[in-house]
Amino acid sequence: FHAAGPGHPLDQAAIVEDALACHAAGAAVIHIHARLATGETTMEPAAYAAIAGAIRARGCDAVLDFSAGDDGGLFTVGAA
């Protein structure tokens, strides 16, 4: 279930795969909202570092534009 919409990846692996697909399609800038394994948004630097590391390890050189907000980390999967 994608509370934020069916196009939003819900875990770090899906975020990485979506970013790589965007890059392969020609994107030069990729905007990223980090998520925990539970699907909840997070502003934890370690989560962004893990996502960026995985993207870079796969050869993507696009500009990674990390989100500066997620409702203070209060959004949860299934929230209305």
Side-chain angles (χ1 to χ4, degrees), residues 28-33 48 56 62-68:
V29 179
I30 301 167
H31 183 76
I32 296 171
H33 292 260
Y48 283 102
R56 295 293 187 229
V63 172
L64 302 180
D65 174 37
F66 297 117
S67 176

Side-chain angles (χ1 to χ4, degrees), residues 37-66:
T38 61
E40 293 174 297
T41 56
T42 182
M43 293 301 293
E44 291 296 322
Y48 283 102
I51 292 167
I55 291 169
R56 295 293 187 229
R58 302 268 300 270
C60 177
D61 62 356
V63 172
L64 302 180
D65 174 37
F66 297 117

